[in-house]
Amino acid sequence: MIFDRLTDAILRHLQHDGRMSNAELAEKVGLSPSACLRRVKILEQEGVIQGYRAIIDKNAVHSMATVIVQITLERQTEDGLRRFETRVRECPDVKECYLMTGDADYLLRVEARDMSDYERIHKEELSRMPGVVRIQSNFAIRPVVQPWKS
């Protein structure tokens, strides 16, 4: 797939509204519907577009706390990183995890129902992950920028 301004436009529009019809997408990017669909199918087949998902308003379903967690490991060896990353992928409460530069080794986005649920996650999940020596937790008050709400 050649990445050009049309491909960039398709990706930008689909990130904003993944349920947009092909006809509407084609019109917005200046392609015929068939040419637009062809590009989208190629992007899907090549794994550039990895899927489509619904963004759920957590407060409409049930109130969820977003916790930003900084994890520091005992050592940053290849084996230590691999063991931590394998285990963190198994934790359903961790929604995102990033290997970082700076003071913390990893930054996690965790969702919990409430403080007692986060205490459970902290005690039973995070503190038991391989190599963890420090956990710093910060509770988000509210989102300010979200890419799907632009």
Side-chain angles (χ1 to χ4, degrees), residues 47-106:
V48 175
I49 296 175
Q50 296 181 352
Y52 301 88
R53 58 184 53 99
I55 307 299
I56 309 299
D57 181 351
K58 293 177 269 182
N59 293 322
V61 178
H62 45 71
S63 183
M64 293 292 282
T66 298
V67 188
I68 304 302
V69 182
Q70 295 176 349
I71 300 283
T72 304
L73 300 181
E74 185 176 13
R75 288 189 291 287
Q76 266 204 357
T77 63
E78 192 168 328
D79 182 59
L81 297 176
R82 181 188 49 75
R83 290 177 57 229
F84 176 82
E85 290 173 11
T86 298
R87 179 63 187 91
V88 79
R89 284 184 188 102
E90 297 170 356
C91 184
D93 301 302
V94 175
K95 304 305 179 186
E96 295 179 69
C97 176
Y98 300 92
L99 177 62
M100 304 296 292
T101 61
D103 293 333
D105 296 318
Y106 288 93

Side-chain angles (χ1 to χ4, degrees), residues 5-6 9-10 13 23-33 35-36:
R5 67 173 185 76
L6 291 172
I10 288 170
H13 285 293
E24 184 180 357
L25 179 60
E27 183 178 324
K28 286 184 182 256
V29 300
L31 286 172
S32 69
C36 184

